[in-house]
């Protein structure tokens, strides 16, 4: 069974098989987590992203990790928050499930997620954490290579939200 673990960490420093980028649909360099990942990986990541773009909301693409400890970056596109009545929860869950599926297809053992869509896309963190945990749990029910999924939290508040949703802290 795949372990789910919440950690207080800078996702760019984690020694895992893949880290997930909270990407935009063009897979262009952005701010927040996306910008930090691109800075840490180096300019080759932007070129690799151009090769696999675009990526619709709710889907994911994979590239090498370049200058990161992680061998891969999985670029998952979450939704912009529009009040919660435009399918945002399903799109967010789909982004998490798509990223997990790519990790499984690559035979990866460990993956780390940021809190997708909770930055400039405005998704309420309380709701996003619940969607993320449920989606990852459902996507990891079947036996696979995936041994551990990390939720990389940027602050104690986010860590607490994952712990309240049943993730080991």
């Amino acid at each position: 069974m795949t372990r789910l673990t919440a950690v207080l960490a800078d996702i760019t420093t984690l020694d895992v098989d893949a880290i997930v980028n909270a990407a935009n649909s063009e897979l262009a360099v952005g701010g927040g987590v996306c910008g930090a990942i691109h800075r840490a990986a180096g300019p080759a990541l932007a070129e690799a992203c151009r090769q696999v773009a675009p990526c619709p909301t709710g889907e994911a693409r994979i590239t090498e990790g370049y200058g990161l400890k992680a061998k891969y970056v999985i670029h998952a596109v979450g939704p912009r928050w529009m009040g919660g009545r435009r399918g945002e929860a399903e799109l967010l869950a789909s982004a998490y499930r798509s990223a997990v599926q790519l990790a499984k297809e690559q035979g990866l053992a460990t993956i780390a997620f940021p809190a997708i869509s909770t930055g400039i896309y405005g998704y309420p963190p309380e709701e996003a954490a619940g969607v993320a945990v449920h989606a990852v749990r459902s996507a990891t029910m079947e036996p696979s290579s995936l041994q551990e999924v990390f939720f990389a939290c940027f602050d104690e508040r986010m860590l607490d939200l994952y712990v309240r949703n049943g993730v080991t802290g």
Side-chain angles (χ1 to χ4, degrees):
M1 186 161 150
T2 306
R3 287 185 309 276
L4 305 186
T5 306
V7 295
L8 189 61
D10 173 349
I11 197 168
T12 66
T13 67
L14 294 178
D15 191 6
V16 292
D17 294 333
I19 63 171
V20 177
N21 177 19
N24 55 63
S25 61
E26 296 306 313
L27 304 185
V29 179
V33 170
C34 181
I37 289 171
H38 275 272
R39 283 189 299 277
L45 182 60
E47 180 54 36
C49 285
R50 282 191 282 280
Q51 302 298 316
V52 296
C55 181
T57 302
E59 293 185 18
R61 302 288 187 264
I62 190 167
T63 64
E64 289 184 37
Y66 299 100
L68 296 163
K69 286 182 182 176
K71 184 174 182 180
Y72 298 100
V73 177
I74 298 174
H75 309 271
V77 181
R80 292 183 185 277
W81 179 254
M82 307 293 271
R85 295 197 172 102
R86 296 194 180 168
E88 293 99 316
E90 180 50 39
L91 287 168
L92 184 58
S94 179
Y96 279 94
R97 287 191 305 266
S98 295
V100 167
Q101 184 59 37
L102 285 173
K104 288 176 171 182
E105 288 170 5
Q106 290 292 323
L108 306 183
T110 54
I111 184 174
F113 283 95
I116 299 171
S117 288
T118 62
I120 61 170
Y121 280 18
Y123 209 111
E126 297 79 9
E127 294 181 34
V131 170
V133 171
H134 183 266
V136 169
R137 271 208 181 104
S138 68
T140 58
M141 295 291 275
E142 299 291 321
S144 73
S145 62
L146 208 51
Q147 296 172 11
E148 190 161 17
V149 175
F150 294 93
F151 294 98
C153 302
F154 54 88
D155 62 21
E156 293 283 349
R157 177 176 172 251
M158 210 60 218
L159 181 70
D160 182 59
L161 291 174
Y162 284 103
V163 170
R164 280 195 264 150
N165 277 281
V167 175
T168 303

